[in-house]
Amino acid sequence: MKYLLRKIVLYVFIAWAAITLNFLIPRLMPGDPVSILIENMEGRIDASARAALMEAYGLTDAPLYVQYWDYLTGLAQGDLGLSISYHPVPVADIAFGAMPWTLGLVGVTTIISFILGTGFGVLFAWWRGRKTDYVLPALTFLNAVPYFWMALILVLIFAINLDWFPYANAYGLGLFPGWNMEFVRSVLYHAILPALTIVIGSFAGWVLSMRNMTVTVLGEDYVSMAEAKGLRKSTILFTYGARNAILPSITGFALSLGAVVSGSMLTEVIFNYPGVGYTLFRAVQAQDFPLMQGLFLVTSLAVILANLIADIVYIFLDPRTRAEG
């Protein structure tokens, strides 16, 4: 389809631009990773070791286009450089080590929140004018509460005062990661409060946006025509109403999925959860520019991929996009 082909070409160009900026920005900034690393070592390093570090971090006197080609070649092989704060661990190992934690926590909770929020939003739109409208002010309040406030409130109530759940780390101290029931139970137990923070913090926004869009769609002429034909209420609500009202939410959901890779940073920081967001926070604290650069690139590519998936979903939901092809 022409529509999908145009989108793919557009996102390939955006991905190239993100990769190119990721290459240029560190080279335009003052200083370099080796100087920071040597400073952390209190300057105890000889000239040959410094030259080896410069080569390891790709800092050479070669022309910029040669460096750019070497950067693209390394990137194609999954080489994102070496970390400063975790030297000499590769950035790719750190990033992909943190990603499963973020995908497992933030990814799953974002999907759950979207499904519940859009579902209740459709129902609240259908039941508009009834007692369910009294819930809307509470949802508006929840939508206005920042993630970190929600996290702090849940920690204060359930972790400190009631002592029901742990408030830090992704699993119990003394446990080693592995596919065994003790470790899995510990991971699920430690994920309860962070998961509740994300679900409660984003659920209300999905409900309100989906309700407003569905109410607007249900007032359209083609919905009135469907009612005049005597179609079943469920058919009118889901086939004519929800299917068209959900289109703007799909875009928002794609952006949310893309942001999953960077994680809900404040939530991960508060709970010391070892995801991408917390790793990025630690990298900023340590001035670990290669790690920040790698995490920003992974996040950018994730957002691009999520938007491409959303455009593919659009093809199945909106006949107008198929007509363009």
Side-chain angles (χ1 to χ4, degrees):
M1 293 183 179
K2 293 181 181 179
Y3 172 81
L4 183 58
L5 183 60
R6 287 199 302 269
K7 290 295 183 179
I8 292 175
V9 172
L10 173 64
Y11 288 132
V12 167
F13 173 77
I14 295 174
W16 169 80
I19 291 171
T20 302
L21 286 175
N22 204 49
F23 165 79
L24 291 175
I25 289 175
R27 286 162 175 79
L28 298 176
M29 293 174 60
D32 58 78
V34 174
S35 300
I36 297 173
L37 186 59
I38 293 175
E39 183 180 345
N40 294 339
M41 296 177 178
E42 300 180 356
R44 296 191 298 269
I45 188 171
D46 56 29
S48 60
R50 180 185 177 90
L53 286 174
M54 295 285 286
E55 184 178 354
Y57 282 97
L59 302 174
T60 66
D61 295 328
L64 194 62
Y65 69 88
V66 175
Q67 296 183 45
Y68 183 58
W69 176 254
D70 292 340
Y71 172 76
L72 292 178
T73 304
L75 197 61
Q77 298 172 353
D79 182 10
L80 297 176
L82 298 178
S83 169
I84 295 176
S85 54
Y86 298 91
H87 182 81
V89 180
V91 168
D93 291 351
I94 300 172
F96 292 112
M99 194 174 297
W101 294 105
T102 293
L103 292 177
L105 173 67
V106 188
V108 171
T109 51
T110 300
I111 293 173
I112 291 174
S113 179
F114 174 76
I115 293 173
L116 292 177
T118 53
F120 278 103
V122 170
L123 294 178
F124 285 173
W126 188 254
W127 296 333
R128 63 192 183 280
R130 303 182 187 179
K131 292 183 178 180
T132 51
D133 286 352
Y134 293 120
V135 181
L136 298 181
L139 292 174
T140 304
F141 171 76
L142 284 178
N143 189 45
V145 176
Y147 273 93
F148 68 92
W149 271 108
M150 184 65 66
L152 292 174
I153 292 171
L154 292 179
V155 167
L156 178 64
I157 296 174
F158 295 105
I160 297 177
N161 291 339
L162 297 178
D163 196 24
W164 287 358
F165 305 106
Y167 57 84
N169 301 321
Y171 50 88
L173 299 177
L175 293 178
F176 293 95
W179 292 106
N180 56 77
M181 287 306 299
E182 183 182 8
F183 179 74
V184 172
R185 281 198 300 266
S186 180
V187 168
L188 294 176
Y189 182 53
H190 281 73
I192 290 176
L193 281 187
L196 282 176
T197 299
I198 297 170
V199 170
I200 295 174
S202 57
F203 168 79
W206 294 122
V207 174
L208 293 173
S209 62
M210 190 63 186
R211 179 191 180 276
N212 293 339
M213 283 303 305
T214 306
V215 168
T216 301
V217 171
L218 290 177
E220 296 291 339
D221 293 338
Y222 61 85
V223 176
S224 301
M225 178 64 70
E227 292 174 343
K229 290 180 178 179
L231 298 180
R232 289 184 300 178
K233 292 183 178 180
S234 60
T235 302
I236 296 173
L237 177 60
F238 294 105
T239 304
Y240 288 83
R243 181 176 179 178
N244 293 286
I246 202 173
L247 293 176
S249 295
I250 291 294
T251 302
F253 181 59
L255 294 175
S256 298
L257 282 181
V260 160
V261 178
S262 62
S264 297
M265 180 183 292
L266 292 176
T267 301
E268 291 186 355
V269 169
I270 290 172
F271 291 100
N272 287 337
Y273 203 82
V276 176
Y278 181 67
T279 304
L280 180 58
F281 173 75
R282 294 287 300 271
V284 173
Q285 281 186 319
Q287 293 185 324
D288 191 340
F289 294 111
L291 183 54
M292 285 188 282
Q293 181 185 5
L295 293 175
F296 284 140
L297 179 61
V298 170
T299 302
S300 301
L301 295 180
V303 173
I304 293 170
L305 178 61
N307 278 274
L308 177 60
I309 294 173
D311 285 326
I312 293 174
V313 173
Y314 256 87
I315 293 175
F316 296 98
L317 293 178
D318 192 350
R320 291 171 296 183
T321 58
R322 295 194 293 272
E324 292 182 25

